[in-house]
Amino acid sequence: IWFDLTRYLTNLEILTLSQNNFNSLKENFQLNSLKILDLSSNGIELIEKNFFEKFGHLEKLYLQNNELN
């Protein structure tokens, strides 16, 4: 559902999704205006290599407290 909703949030600049128990990031959010993305404390183990390709304006990315190697 979340990924369907993002098409209506085209001007969103800050998104906090910390502590949501995501274990992987496979689909792109389609949030082209996003400047700050907080994905901390989720237990993320895998991020698909093209996940961030549409984040052209991203300035800050928070990934601390995940299971990334």
XYZ file of all heavy atoms in Angstrom:
583
model
N 0.828 -1.196 0.000
C 0.000 0.000 0.000
C 0.862 1.246 0.000
O 0.569 2.188 -0.687
C -0.958 -0.001 1.205
C -1.980 -1.121 1.060
C -1.646 1.342 1.339
C -2.860 -1.306 2.262
N 1.943 1.230 0.811
C 2.791 2.416 0.910
C 3.308 2.855 -0.452
O 3.284 4.020 -0.798
C 3.951 2.168 1.865
C 5.020 3.208 1.718
C 6.241 3.052 1.166
C 4.913 4.586 2.060
N 6.914 4.235 1.160
C 6.123 5.207 1.697
C 3.914 5.366 2.625
C 6.361 6.552 1.902
C 4.157 6.721 2.823
C 5.371 7.281 2.464
N 3.784 1.901 -1.253
C 4.371 2.253 -2.533
C 3.331 2.830 -3.483
O 3.642 3.650 -4.322
C 5.084 1.043 -3.135
C 6.239 0.603 -2.288
C 6.139 -0.534 -1.500
C 7.404 1.339 -2.241
C 7.197 -0.929 -0.700
C 8.466 0.955 -1.445
C 8.357 -0.179 -0.669
N 2.080 2.433 -3.365
C 1.007 3.017 -4.166
C 0.718 4.447 -3.740
O 0.396 5.296 -4.571
C -0.271 2.187 -4.047
C -0.130 0.812 -4.667
O 0.655 0.672 -5.634
O -0.794 -0.110 -4.192
N 0.830 4.730 -2.456
C 0.556 6.074 -1.945
C 1.609 7.095 -2.349
O 1.310 8.278 -2.442
C 0.451 6.045 -0.422
C -0.745 5.321 0.167
C -0.632 5.274 1.683
C -2.042 5.978 -0.240
N 2.825 6.651 -2.578
C 3.900 7.604 -2.864
C 3.661 8.412 -4.129
O 4.188 9.507 -4.266
C 5.265 6.906 -2.957
O 5.231 5.927 -3.991
C 5.638 6.271 -1.637
N 2.870 7.919 -5.046
C 2.616 8.695 -6.271
C 1.838 9.978 -5.996
O 1.820 10.888 -6.815
C 1.926 7.833 -7.312
C 0.549 7.416 -6.934
C -0.068 6.588 -8.015
N -1.042 5.697 -7.402
C -1.743 4.840 -8.056
N -1.592 4.711 -9.346
N -2.607 4.086 -7.433
N 1.198 10.073 -4.832
C 0.458 11.280 -4.449
C 1.284 12.224 -3.588
O 0.805 13.274 -3.180
C -0.823 10.898 -3.695
C -1.734 10.014 -4.490
C -1.862 8.670 -4.190
C -2.444 10.517 -5.569
C -2.693 7.851 -4.941
C -3.272 9.711 -6.325
C -3.392 8.376 -5.996
O -4.202 7.564 -6.736
N 2.509 11.864 -3.311
C 3.382 12.647 -2.442
C 4.570 13.217 -3.213
O 5.698 13.231 -2.732
C 3.878 11.763 -1.292
C 2.798 11.117 -0.439
C 3.412 10.118 0.535
C 1.982 12.155 0.300
N 4.328 13.731 -4.379
C 5.411 14.141 -5.271
C 6.246 15.307 -4.738
O 7.379 15.481 -5.149
C 4.861 14.515 -6.656
O 3.867 15.527 -6.503
C 4.258 13.291 -7.338
N 5.722 16.104 -3.815
C 6.465 17.245 -3.273
C 7.074 16.971 -1.901
O 7.636 17.878 -1.299
C 5.567 18.481 -3.197
C 5.155 18.956 -4.573
O 5.951 18.955 -5.503
N 3.909 19.341 -4.716
N 6.971 15.749 -1.430
C 7.489 15.391 -0.116
C 9.010 15.537 -0.089
O 9.703 15.028 -0.958
C 7.104 13.953 0.226
C 7.395 13.488 1.632
C 6.486 14.220 2.625
C 7.173 11.992 1.745
N 9.538 16.245 0.915
C 10.975 16.465 1.020
C 11.623 15.711 2.171
O 12.814 15.426 2.129
C 11.264 17.961 1.163
C 10.915 18.738 -0.091
C 11.310 20.189 -0.006
O 11.814 20.640 1.053
O 11.116 20.893 -1.003
N 10.880 15.398 3.222
C 11.422 14.706 4.388
C 10.532 13.510 4.698
O 9.314 13.656 4.822
C 11.497 15.632 5.614
C 12.379 16.838 5.325
C 11.997 14.867 6.838
C 12.349 17.896 6.400
N 11.155 12.337 4.828
C 10.402 11.120 5.130
C 11.152 10.327 6.197
O 12.315 9.991 6.024
C 10.227 10.275 3.873
C 9.477 8.963 4.029
C 8.062 9.196 4.537
C 9.448 8.215 2.700
N 10.474 10.060 7.306
C 11.047 9.262 8.381
C 10.305 7.935 8.456
O 9.106 7.912 8.718
C 10.939 10.004 9.734
O 11.626 11.242 9.627
C 11.526 9.175 10.857
N 11.032 6.864 8.199
C 10.474 5.513 8.263
C 11.306 4.651 9.214
O 11.458 3.456 9.015
C 10.449 4.881 6.863
C 9.474 5.494 5.879
C 9.677 4.921 4.483
C 8.043 5.286 6.333
N 11.832 5.253 10.254
C 12.645 4.508 11.209
C 11.754 3.605 12.063
O 10.570 3.874 12.247
C 13.434 5.465 12.102
O 12.563 6.297 12.827
N 12.340 2.515 12.540
C 11.698 1.556 13.437
C 10.414 0.962 12.859
O 9.387 0.888 13.523
C 11.427 2.211 14.798
C 12.693 2.704 15.442
C 12.469 3.365 16.780
O 11.360 3.555 17.227
N 13.557 3.730 17.427
N 10.471 0.532 11.608
C 9.319 -0.087 10.957
C 9.547 -1.554 10.612
O 8.720 -2.169 9.982
C 8.954 0.677 9.676
C 8.136 1.894 9.977
O 6.962 1.793 10.300
N 8.753 3.059 9.899
N 10.674 -2.108 11.023
C 10.987 -3.518 10.803
C 11.053 -3.918 9.328
O 10.673 -5.026 8.968
C 10.006 -4.426 11.560
C 10.117 -4.251 13.050
O 11.215 -4.129 13.577
N 9.003 -4.212 13.731
N 11.524 -3.015 8.474
C 11.804 -3.390 7.087
C 13.068 -4.245 7.105
O 14.037 -3.878 7.758
C 12.090 -2.169 6.207
C 10.946 -1.197 6.092
C 11.165 0.157 6.246
C 9.670 -1.625 5.808
C 10.132 1.071 6.119
C 8.627 -0.724 5.680
C 8.860 0.625 5.843
N 13.086 -5.356 6.393
C 14.331 -6.122 6.328
C 15.009 -5.997 4.973
O 16.155 -6.357 4.808
C 14.122 -7.583 6.710
C 13.138 -8.285 5.809
O 12.717 -7.750 4.802
N 12.777 -9.487 6.176
N 14.296 -5.461 3.992
C 14.910 -5.219 2.683
C 14.202 -4.055 1.989
O 13.066 -3.736 2.307
C 14.829 -6.474 1.810
O 13.482 -6.796 1.545
N 14.923 -3.434 1.064
C 14.374 -2.350 0.257
C 14.504 -2.765 -1.192
O 15.605 -2.822 -1.732
C 15.141 -1.053 0.511
C 15.144 -0.556 1.955
C 16.047 0.655 2.086
C 13.743 -0.235 2.420
N 13.386 -3.081 -1.816
C 13.424 -3.617 -3.171
C 12.745 -2.724 -4.197
O 13.105 -2.752 -5.350
C 12.782 -5.003 -3.200
C 13.534 -6.012 -2.369
C 12.909 -7.363 -2.445
C 13.711 -8.349 -1.610
N 13.168 -9.682 -1.647
N 11.764 -1.946 -3.784
C 11.045 -1.098 -4.728
C 11.409 0.346 -4.489
O 11.538 0.791 -3.358
C 9.528 -1.267 -4.551
C 9.026 -2.634 -4.916
C 7.514 -2.699 -4.812
O 6.857 -1.768 -5.281
O 7.014 -3.679 -4.258
N 11.534 1.102 -5.568
C 11.825 2.516 -5.455
C 10.556 3.253 -5.043
O 9.475 2.937 -5.488
C 12.343 3.036 -6.797
C 12.876 4.426 -6.688
O 12.163 5.338 -6.334
N 14.140 4.593 -6.993
N 10.707 4.276 -4.206
C 9.572 5.025 -3.695
C 8.950 5.999 -4.690
O 7.881 6.497 -4.465
C 9.986 5.852 -2.477
C 10.215 5.065 -1.238
C 10.947 5.624 -0.207
C 9.717 3.804 -1.052
C 11.166 4.942 0.963
C 9.928 3.113 0.122
C 10.656 3.686 1.127
N 9.632 6.349 -5.756
C 9.137 7.345 -6.712
C 8.912 8.704 -6.049
O 7.930 9.383 -6.322
C 7.840 6.873 -7.379
C 7.921 5.553 -8.087
C 8.834 5.600 -9.305
O 8.922 6.604 -9.982
N 9.517 4.524 -9.561
N 9.798 9.093 -5.173
C 9.705 10.388 -4.498
C 10.854 11.267 -4.986
O 11.889 11.390 -4.346
C 9.750 10.208 -2.982
C 8.585 9.443 -2.376
C 8.807 9.202 -0.900
C 7.273 10.173 -2.606
N 10.662 11.897 -6.102
C 11.727 12.648 -6.769
C 12.167 13.898 -6.021
O 13.279 14.371 -6.207
C 11.288 13.015 -8.185
C 11.000 11.787 -9.018
O 11.596 10.742 -8.810
N 10.072 11.905 -9.939
N 11.310 14.464 -5.171
C 11.649 15.688 -4.444
C 12.257 15.432 -3.075
O 12.621 16.366 -2.374
C 10.393 16.545 -4.263
O 9.880 16.937 -5.507
N 12.388 14.175 -2.702
C 12.857 13.820 -1.363
C 14.283 14.304 -1.123
O 15.170 14.060 -1.932
C 12.787 12.305 -1.177
C 12.768 11.804 0.249
C 11.528 12.298 0.977
C 12.818 10.298 0.275
N 14.483 15.004 -0.007
C 15.809 15.504 0.360
C 16.394 14.757 1.553
O 17.598 14.624 1.670
C 15.741 16.998 0.672
C 15.440 17.848 -0.542
C 15.450 19.308 -0.200
C 15.162 20.127 -1.447
N 15.132 21.556 -1.153
N 15.535 14.296 2.469
C 15.992 13.607 3.667
C 15.186 12.322 3.824
O 13.958 12.357 3.835
C 15.829 14.486 4.923
C 16.632 15.782 4.772
C 16.240 13.724 6.173
C 16.376 16.796 5.870
N 15.896 11.197 3.960
C 15.250 9.902 4.137
C 15.877 9.202 5.339
O 17.072 8.965 5.381
C 15.424 9.041 2.885
C 14.852 7.630 2.934
C 13.362 7.634 3.224
C 15.147 6.902 1.626
N 15.047 8.908 6.334
C 15.507 8.228 7.545
C 14.951 6.810 7.557
O 13.748 6.600 7.715
C 15.042 8.993 8.778
C 15.539 8.390 10.075
O 16.150 7.304 10.052
O 15.309 9.014 11.130
N 15.836 5.841 7.379
C 15.483 4.424 7.407
C 16.200 3.725 8.552
O 16.419 2.523 8.524
C 15.857 3.767 6.075
C 15.058 4.228 4.864
C 15.736 3.813 3.577
C 13.641 3.693 4.928
N 16.562 4.455 9.572
C 17.339 3.904 10.678
C 16.508 2.931 11.526
O 15.285 2.990 11.550
C 17.866 5.033 11.565
O 16.803 5.790 12.103
N 17.224 2.022 12.184
C 16.643 1.087 13.154
C 15.506 0.246 12.584
O 14.433 0.136 13.177
C 16.162 1.853 14.397
O 17.213 2.560 14.984
N 15.734 -0.340 11.431
C 14.738 -1.197 10.807
C 15.163 -2.658 10.720
O 14.336 -3.514 10.496
C 14.427 -0.709 9.385
C 13.372 0.361 9.367
O 12.235 0.106 9.705
N 13.752 1.560 8.994
N 16.426 -2.950 10.855
C 16.907 -4.314 10.655
C 17.118 -4.627 9.183
O 17.088 -5.782 8.775
N 17.349 -3.603 8.377
C 17.536 -3.783 6.931
C 18.799 -4.595 6.680
O 19.876 -4.270 7.178
C 17.622 -2.422 6.212
C 16.307 -1.668 6.366
C 17.970 -2.611 4.733
C 16.354 -0.230 5.897
N 18.667 -5.659 5.913
C 19.785 -6.525 5.539
C 20.161 -6.379 4.079
O 21.281 -6.666 3.690
C 19.420 -7.986 5.809
C 19.147 -8.281 7.259
C 18.650 -9.697 7.490
O 18.360 -10.406 6.515
O 18.538 -10.085 8.660
N 19.211 -5.953 3.242
C 19.425 -5.909 1.799
C 18.801 -4.662 1.200
O 17.663 -4.319 1.517
C 18.786 -7.138 1.146
C 18.737 -7.167 -0.370
C 20.128 -7.358 -0.944
C 17.797 -8.244 -0.853
N 19.568 -3.986 0.349
C 19.048 -2.875 -0.436
C 19.363 -3.187 -1.895
O 20.530 -3.356 -2.252
C 19.686 -1.529 -0.041
C 19.408 -1.226 1.432
C 19.156 -0.409 -0.926
C 20.093 0.024 1.946
N 18.337 -3.284 -2.712
C 18.537 -3.550 -4.137
C 19.397 -2.442 -4.742
O 19.278 -1.273 -4.361
C 17.191 -3.609 -4.864
C 16.343 -4.778 -4.476
C 16.725 -6.055 -5.203
O 17.148 -5.982 -6.367
O 16.587 -7.114 -4.573
N 20.255 -2.783 -5.682
C 21.219 -1.814 -6.217
C 20.577 -0.622 -6.907
O 21.143 0.451 -6.938
C 22.213 -2.496 -7.145
C 21.619 -3.049 -8.406
C 22.691 -3.686 -9.255
C 22.084 -4.273 -10.516
N 23.104 -4.845 -11.366
N 19.377 -0.742 -7.435
C 18.730 0.384 -8.118
C 17.703 1.096 -7.239
O 16.973 1.949 -7.714
C 18.074 -0.089 -9.410
C 16.995 -1.126 -9.171
O 16.893 -1.685 -8.086
N 16.205 -1.390 -10.178
N 17.673 0.785 -5.959
C 16.670 1.368 -5.065
C 16.736 2.893 -5.037
O 15.715 3.568 -5.019
C 16.828 0.820 -3.641
C 15.829 1.385 -2.684
C 14.530 0.901 -2.659
C 16.160 2.417 -1.825
C 13.585 1.431 -1.793
C 15.228 2.951 -0.961
C 13.943 2.451 -0.938
N 17.918 3.471 -5.039
C 18.071 4.916 -4.889
C 18.158 5.669 -6.221
O 18.353 6.877 -6.222
C 19.317 5.226 -4.056
C 19.216 4.744 -2.643
C 19.918 3.633 -2.232
C 18.409 5.389 -1.731
C 19.835 3.175 -0.931
C 18.306 4.943 -0.426
C 19.022 3.835 -0.024
N 17.966 5.028 -7.338
C 18.215 5.682 -8.624
C 17.293 6.863 -8.932
O 17.666 7.753 -9.687
C 18.183 4.674 -9.771
C 16.834 4.135 -10.104
C 16.874 3.076 -11.195
O 17.953 2.576 -11.529
O 15.801 2.767 -11.699
N 16.122 6.935 -8.350
C 15.210 8.054 -8.627
C 15.208 9.115 -7.540
O 14.356 9.978 -7.518
C 13.804 7.516 -8.842
C 13.746 6.569 -10.003
C 12.510 6.722 -10.786
C 12.622 5.776 -11.973
N 11.457 5.646 -12.719
N 16.180 9.056 -6.628
C 16.286 10.054 -5.572
C 17.301 11.114 -5.975
O 18.326 11.281 -5.332
C 16.708 9.399 -4.256
C 15.676 8.491 -3.657
C 15.889 7.132 -3.592
C 14.496 9.001 -3.161
C 14.944 6.288 -3.028
C 13.546 8.173 -2.601
C 13.772 6.812 -2.534
N 17.022 11.852 -7.017
C 17.962 12.823 -7.559
C 18.266 14.002 -6.658
O 19.295 14.645 -6.804
N 17.402 14.300 -5.696
C 17.594 15.448 -4.812
C 17.955 15.046 -3.385
O 18.033 15.899 -2.502
C 16.327 16.312 -4.790
C 16.031 16.930 -6.111
N 15.146 16.384 -7.009
C 16.524 18.035 -6.703
C 15.108 17.131 -8.086
N 15.932 18.140 -7.930
N 18.185 13.765 -3.155
C 18.472 13.284 -1.807
C 19.785 13.873 -1.288
O 20.817 13.782 -1.937
C 18.549 11.751 -1.794
C 18.498 11.084 -0.440
C 17.175 11.346 0.255
C 18.728 9.599 -0.583
N 19.707 14.514 -0.125
C 20.877 15.140 0.498
C 21.349 14.383 1.734
O 22.539 14.362 2.030
C 20.546 16.589 0.887
C 20.205 17.461 -0.297
C 19.698 18.831 0.103
O 19.649 19.144 1.323
O 19.326 19.599 -0.794
N 20.407 13.789 2.476
C 20.759 13.077 3.707
C 20.036 11.740 3.734
O 18.841 11.666 3.461
C 20.382 13.884 4.945
C 21.169 15.155 5.088
C 20.817 15.869 6.363
C 21.634 17.157 6.447
N 21.378 17.871 7.694
N 20.782 10.707 4.091
C 20.252 9.359 4.196
C 20.718 8.763 5.511
O 21.916 8.722 5.794
C 20.760 8.507 3.027
C 20.418 7.030 3.052
C 18.912 6.820 2.965
C 21.124 6.320 1.901
N 19.782 8.322 6.331
C 20.101 7.743 7.631
C 19.816 6.242 7.593
O 18.682 5.827 7.396
C 19.278 8.407 8.735
C 19.564 9.887 8.846
C 18.737 10.819 8.236
C 20.668 10.347 9.559
C 18.999 12.180 8.333
C 20.945 11.695 9.659
C 20.103 12.608 9.039
O 20.375 13.955 9.130
N 20.871 5.444 7.768
C 20.764 3.982 7.736
C 21.360 3.330 8.988
O 21.549 2.121 9.005
C 21.470 3.427 6.493
C 20.800 3.701 5.162
C 21.723 3.325 4.015
C 19.481 2.952 5.064
N 21.644 4.095 10.026
C 22.261 3.515 11.205
C 21.325 2.513 11.888
O 20.120 2.562 11.726
C 22.729 4.601 12.193
C 21.639 5.413 12.824
C 21.293 6.658 12.035
O 21.526 6.780 10.844
N 20.706 7.633 12.724
N 21.922 1.626 12.640
C 21.207 0.593 13.394
C 20.401 -0.345 12.500
O 19.249 -0.660 12.783
C 20.314 1.206 14.471
C 21.104 1.996 15.485
O 22.173 1.566 15.904
N 20.622 3.159 15.846
N 21.007 -0.776 11.410
C 20.450 -1.786 10.526
C 21.433 -2.951 10.460
O 22.454 -2.940 11.145
C 20.168 -1.204 9.145
C 18.898 -0.371 9.116
O 17.807 -0.907 9.292
N 19.034 0.925 8.913
N 21.165 -3.941 9.666
C 21.997 -5.134 9.576
C 22.783 -5.184 8.264
O 23.043 -6.249 7.736
C 21.113 -6.390 9.702
C 20.318 -6.449 10.987
C 21.174 -6.496 12.233
O 22.227 -7.152 12.193
O 20.792 -5.874 13.234
N 23.144 -4.038 7.732
C 23.869 -3.970 6.457
C 25.338 -4.292 6.662
O 25.947 -3.932 7.663
C 23.745 -2.567 5.860
C 22.320 -2.154 5.494
C 22.266 -0.666 5.206
C 21.830 -2.968 4.307
N 25.922 -4.972 5.687
C 27.357 -5.295 5.735
C 28.098 -4.548 4.651
O 27.645 -4.312 3.612
C 27.581 -6.797 5.544
C 27.092 -7.572 6.745
O 27.232 -7.111 7.872
N 26.510 -8.719 6.501
